[in-house]
Amino acid sequence: MKFTRHADNTLPGPSSLKVNARSIEFPDGTCASFAIAGYPREVGAGWLEPLTGYPGHLDVSLHIEPVPPLIAAQRLRRQLARLDSARTADFATEAAADDAAELAASLARGHGRLFRVGLYLTVHATDPGQLEAEVQHVKTLAASLLLDAQPTTFRALQGWTATLPLATDTLKTRRTFDTSALAAAFPFASPDLRPRLGDTPVLLGLNAYSSGIVLWDRFAHDNHNSVTIARSGAGKSYLTKLEVLRLLFHQVQVCVVDPEDEYRRLANAVGGTLLGLGTPGVCFNPFDLPEDAEDDALDRRAMFLQTLVATMLGEPLTAATKAVLDKAVIATYAAAGITSDRRTWKRPAPLLADLATMLEATDASELAVRLAPYISGSYRSLFSGPTTTRPDGHLIVFSLRDLPEETRPVGMLLALDAIWRRVSNPADRRRRLVVVDEAWTLMREHEGARFLYRLAKSARKHWTGLAVVTQDAADLLGSDLGKAVVANAATQILLRQAPQAIDEIAEAFNLTEGERLFLLSAGQGEGLVCGGTGDRAAFYAVADTSEHALATTDPAELP
C-alpha cells in the first residue's frame, strides 16, 4: 500500500510511504511500532524514563482517558465478583483480588480515579537491517521493565499514527490505571530528583544525562528561598527570567531588583510595571502612604525616613538629630493635612523639599543644607516631584542602572522598602517572589545586606520567596549575613563556576568530586539544582523562541 501527499504540498509529513505487515518505509528511513499489552504489578516513580531516554530514535506515546466514576464503580464490582469466585488455590488471582479490593476502597474514599491508558512505541531506523537491530534493542529494554511489547502486525500504519502528536489512539490497546499508577508512569520524570511539587511547579530544564525533565516548585519546600551562583556569562540571569515568566502563569506576583536593566524587555512584554530609578522624569516620593496600610503606617514612614536621611548623609544619625528629624517629619505630614486619622491618608503626600522647609523652620537649617543636593542639587531628579509610577502589578521591576554611584544606595533603599511594604502587608497576602539579581551589589551596601538577611529569615511567613542571584560567591559566602542567606535557601542552583571559586563553592555546598568537575566544565545554561532534602540533578535550561527572545542578553542576538 502506498500513500502520496497532495501536489500542493500543504500537508506536513513524508512525500510518500509504503506500509508493510510490520513496518512502514519512508523515502529517508523506516519504522516499526509496538503496543504495550502487559505491565509489571508494582512500579516506582519515573519508571518509564529508560524508554524516553533511549539513545536511538524512539517515539513514546501515552494516551490517557479518564473513566467516569459511575462506570468505574460498576466495573470494579464485576471484577471483584469474578476474582472472588476464582480465588481457590491460584495465588496470582488472589493477589489481583486484593489489589482490586484496595483500589475499590481508595475510589470509595475519593482518593483517586480510574483511567484507560494506552502506551505505544515507534522505533525508527535508516534501513530495514538497522531497524531489525533497533527493534531487538527496544524489545529487550521493554522486557527489562517487565513490559510486554507486542508488534502491531498488519496495523503498522495505525501504530505509527498512534505515536504522532495527533492525540488519536488508533490501536485501542489499553489498560486501566488508578491515579497513583498513572502518576508513576509520567514519562518525563527525572529519576535522580524527587522534589515535592505543589500548585506552582516550574520547568527548570532537561536532565543533563537523560531525556527527563527537571521540575521544581519552590513554594512546596520548607522555605521558598533560592540562591543562584555562577560566573559571568553562565546563564544565571537567563534561567531566572525563565522562572519568572513561568511563575507568572501561576499568578505569582514577582518583584525584581535589577541593577543592570536586564528585565526591561520582559516587563514590557508581559505588561509589568517598570520603575527606572535615575531615568529622567522618573520620581519616587518616599513620603507616599499605601492605600491599604496598617494603623501604624504613619509612624513606620517616619522611622523609615530617618533611615533614608542617614543613607543620604552617609553616616548614622545622633539621638538629637533623630529627635529633631522625627518631629519635622510629623509636622511635614500635618502641614499636608495628613494625620494619624486614616481618612487623611488619601491626600497628596508631601515631598522631600517640604521636609527641608520644615527643618529650616525648626532651627535645623544645618540638616536642611546637607540635604540640599537631593532637593535642589544634582541628585534632585529622583525626589523632585510626586511618584510618577506606582509599584503595582503582577511584575514590578526596579531598574537601578541609571542611578549614579553616589545615589545608588538611596535608590536601592527606596526599592527595597517598597518591596518590603508590599510583602509584609497582611491585607494583601498572596504568593510572591522577590528577585535580587547581581546581589553582590547589595551585599556591599549595609542597608542592602540587612534587607537580604531580614527577607531570607522571614519571607516564608509572608508567603514569599527570595531569589538571590550573584556571580560573586565570595561576597555571599564571605560574610555572616551572606551565609545566613544561603543557609535559609531550600533551593540552591549552581551553574558554571570559575576555578578560583570552586573550592569555596564545593565546601559550602558539600559537592562531590564529580559535581566539581561538572560545574567547571558546564556549558552555558547547564548547572546543578540542589534541594533541601538532599536531592540533586544536573540539568540544562531550555526555552522556546519567544521566551529566549525575552531572556537573552547576548548583544549579538539583540536588535
Side-chain angles (χ1 to χ4, degrees), residues 419-439:
I419 293 173
W420 178 253
R421 281 192 289 167
R422 182 169 297 275
V423 165
S424 61
N425 184 5
D428 184 22
R429 189 60 53 84
R430 56 184 295 185
R431 283 193 182 99
R432 288 187 173 91
L433 176 65
V434 178
V435 177
V436 181
D437 208 339
E438 302 296 349

Side-chain angles (χ1 to χ4, degrees), residues 357-382:
T357 302
M358 190 62 63
L359 287 171
E360 292 177 349
T362 55
D363 297 328
S365 57
E366 181 181 353
L367 184 57
V369 169
R370 297 185 65 185
L371 292 175
Y374 295 94
I375 298 170
S376 57
S378 54
Y379 305 154
R380 69 184 182 280
S381 60
L382 190 59

Side-chain angles (χ1 to χ4, degrees), residues 45-261:
W47 62 279
L48 285 182
E49 196 276 336
L51 291 177
T52 60
Y54 182 73
H57 185 173
L58 178 65
D59 295 334
V60 181
S61 177
L62 196 65
H63 295 262
I64 304 169
E65 178 185 351
V67 179
L70 180 59
I71 296 177
Q74 294 173 349
R75 289 180 178 176
L76 272 176
R77 282 197 295 269
R78 289 197 297 267
Q79 181 78 351
L80 278 171
R82 185 172 69 254
L83 291 173
D84 285 338
S85 64
R87 277 180 182 266
T88 61
D90 189 344
F91 296 108
T93 303
E94 186 174 350
D98 292 340
D99 290 343
E102 183 179 347
L103 178 58
S106 175
L107 294 179
R109 297 186 184 96
H111 293 169
R113 296 185 58 184
L114 291 185
F115 301 86
R116 299 286 292 170
V117 178
L119 177 59
Y120 311 113
L121 312 175
T122 296
V123 58
H124 295 258
T126 57
D127 57 66
Q130 183 188 6
L131 179 64
E132 181 63 28
E134 291 291 335
V135 164
Q136 294 302 321
H137 291 159
V138 171
K139 290 180 67 175
T140 302
L141 177 60
S144 69
L145 298 174
L146 301 182
L147 296 174
D148 182 12
Q150 295 294 329
T152 56
T153 306
F154 297 114
R155 293 189 298 169
L157 181 62
Q158 290 88 338
W160 175 57
T161 56
T163 56
L164 293 177
L166 303 176
T168 302
D169 185 356
T170 51
L171 291 175
K172 303 293 184 181
T173 304
R174 300 180 179 179
R175 180 72 172 266
T176 300
F177 282 34
D178 66 348
T179 303
S180 60
L182 181 60
F186 185 64
F188 307 112
S190 183
D192 50 356
L193 184 68
R194 300 176 298 278
R196 288 174 287 179
L197 298 180
D199 300 329
T200 55
V202 168
L203 172 66
L204 289 184
L206 298 181
N207 193 299
Y209 298 110
S210 71
S211 59
I213 65 174
V214 178
L215 290 173
W216 195 262
D217 186 355
R218 64 167 65 239
F219 291 97
H221 290 77
D222 297 335
N223 65 68
H224 318 320
N225 303 339
S226 69
V227 291
T228 303
I229 304 176
R231 65 183 298 176
S232 178
K236 57 188 182 301
S237 295
Y238 185 94
L239 177 64
T240 303
K241 292 172 194 172
L242 293 182
E243 184 186 13
V244 167
L245 271 173
R246 292 160 185 174
L247 281 176
L248 290 175
F249 281 104
H250 293 293
Q251 285 76 52
V252 176
Q253 186 183 64
V254 183
C255 302
V256 181
V257 179
D258 179 17
E260 300 298 334
D261 199 35

Side-chain angles (χ1 to χ4, degrees), residues 252-276:
V252 176
Q253 186 183 64
V254 183
C255 302
V256 181
V257 179
D258 179 17
E260 300 298 334
D261 199 35
E262 295 184 13
Y263 291 75
R264 179 180 294 271
R265 285 180 293 115
L266 174 60
N268 292 335
V270 301
T273 302
L274 178 68
L275 289 90

Side-chain angles (χ1 to χ4, degrees), residues 303-317 325 370-371 374 379 383 405-414 445-448 450:
M303 290 186 286
F304 168 72
L305 285 165
Q306 294 180 21
T307 304
L308 179 66
V309 170
T311 305
M312 289 176 171
L313 301 181
E315 62 183 30
L317 301 180
L325 182 59
R370 297 185 65 185
L371 292 175
Y374 295 94
Y379 305 154
F383 308 100
E405 284 297 325
E406 294 79 6
T407 60
R408 178 163 291 207
V410 176
M412 192 178 298
L413 180 61
L414 290 174
E445 306 294 341
H446 178 67
E447 289 299 330
R450 282 185 56 196

Side-chain angles (χ1 to χ4, degrees), residues 526-538:
E526 293 182 346
L528 191 70
V529 57
C530 310
T533 58
D535 291 326
R536 297 185 177 185

